[in-house]
Amino acid sequence: MKMTPKKINTFTMFKLPSAWLSGVRVKEINEKSCKVSVKHRWINQNPFNSMYFAVQAMAAELSTGALVMSHIVTSGKKISMLVANNNASFTKKATGRISFNCHDGAVLKDAIDKTIATGEGQTFWMKSIGTNEEGIEVSEFNFEWTIRVK
């Protein structure tokens, strides 16, 4: 089964309703990268008239997590996944449409291949960069994922 933006967005509606209600949507996904977008609106704003950091975190995490889910589905194995750690930096006010891009598919593929081959859990970091409509970086998130064969 191929993971598509429509399938992932339907999944978020039922399993991650706070992300879905906030407007977090997967726009593109392939084996190398994933793009998630969210628009600054009343429901996801902070008191400073920009996007609340937690909404940015949901979108950034989904850009990495959807990629992990896609690779797990492609592997055909039962593999558990969990965020073990994360950090973020914010460089500009997040207003308008913010796109989060993760391009760490190769790192992920290596980790999945290794956990399947050895049966041991693997830990790896994935980065998601948030940019506004002008292409200016507004935030950077790093997520430490752990995976292992069930």
Side-chain angles (χ1 to χ4, degrees), residues 50-51 56 60 87-103 127-142:
S50 63
M51 192 178 298
Q56 292 183 64
N87 61 58
S89 61
F90 303 89
T91 52
K92 186 166 173 55
K93 239 179 159 176
T95 57
R97 182 163 298 282
I98 308 299
S99 296
F100 289 89
N101 291 287
C102 176
H103 300 284
K127 180 189 297 189
S128 182
I129 305 285
T131 56
N132 63 18
E133 293 158 308
E134 292 81 41
I136 299 168
E137 183 177 318
V138 299
S139 57
E140 176 181 309
F141 287 81
N142 296 289

Side-chain angles (χ1 to χ4, degrees), residues 61 64-69 72 78-86 108 111-112 115 121-126 142-150:
E61 194 261 345
T64 64
L67 207 49
V68 174
M69 288 189 311
I72 289 172
K78 287 189 178 254
I79 298 174
S80 64
M81 56 187 273
L82 179 69
V83 172
N85 200 352
N86 76 304
L108 172 58
I112 287 182
T115 197
Q122 299 296 310
T123 302
F124 54 96
W125 285 89
M126 295 178 77
N142 296 289
F143 295 92
E144 181 183 31
W145 284 95
T146 62
I147 56 171
R148 71 175 178 85
V149 176
K150 291 182 184 181

